[in-house]
């Protein structure tokens, strides 16, 4: 069984959770000059989704080309690397399409 909370911890917890807590100081340095300083959570989330699509596209293309180059080397052919590139691009654009569809549905538009 856990003992009682120390008396000195209670006022601090109350001041953090109360509505009368002091306001946070403004951010300093280059952060306040950044366009992201004025963005809300939903905007940053959307920006993160688009950043992840670029990352996914790069990963899909690199993995497709590497798998194709491996198949070309293993079977002595010359076409799987190009096929891997095409499949990687297709997978990347499919990911972009799914994200756009999800964002449009979230905004209340047609899906």
């Amino acid at each position: 069984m856990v003992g009682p909370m120390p008396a000195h911890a209670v006022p601090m917890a109350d001041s953090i959770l109360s509505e009368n807590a002091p306001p946070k100081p403004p951010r300093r340095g280059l952060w306040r000059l950044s366009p992201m300083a004025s963005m809300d959570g939903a905007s940053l989330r959307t920006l993160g989704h688009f950043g992840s699509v670029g990352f996914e596209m790069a990963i899909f293309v690199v993995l497709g080309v590497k798998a194709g180059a491996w198949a070309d080397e293993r079977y002595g052919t010359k076409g799987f690397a190009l096929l891997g590139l095409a499949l990687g691009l297709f997978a990347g654009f499919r990911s972009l399409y799914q994200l756009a569809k999800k964002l449009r549905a979230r905004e209340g538009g047609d899906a």
Side-chain angles (χ1 to χ4, degrees), residues 13 37 45-46 48 88:
R45 193 173 312 116
T46 302

Side-chain angles (χ1 to χ4, degrees), residues 4-54:
M5 185 182 280
H8 62 82
V10 176
M12 181 179 225
D14 287 342
S15 68
I16 291 173
L17 299 175
S18 74
E19 294 177 8
N20 298 328
K24 292 182 180 178
R27 294 184 184 256
R28 296 183 179 191
L30 293 177
W31 175 259
R32 64 185 167 84
L33 300 175
S34 170
M36 290 183 11
S38 62
M39 293 179 126
D40 61 341
S43 298
L44 288 174
R45 193 173 312 116
T46 302
L47 188 64
H49 285 306
F50 282 109
S52 70
V53 167

Side-chain angles (χ1 to χ4, degrees), residues 39-104:
M39 293 179 126
D40 61 341
S43 298
L44 288 174
R45 193 173 312 116
T46 302
L47 188 64
H49 285 306
F50 282 109
S52 70
V53 167
F55 183 72
E56 287 175 13
M57 174 107 39
I59 292 296
F60 287 142
V61 168
V62 167
L63 288 177
V65 170
K66 289 286 188 180
W70 174 83
D72 281 339
E73 185 178 320
R74 176 163 175 129
Y75 299 114
T77 59
K78 292 186 178 182
F80 284 115
L82 187 59
L83 179 64
L85 173 67
L87 289 174
L89 286 172
F90 173 77
F93 281 115
R94 182 174 177 265
S95 175
L96 177 63
Y97 173 75
Q98 287 177 341
L99 172 66
K101 189 173 160 182
K102 182 169 83 171
L103 291 177
R104 181 178 283 173

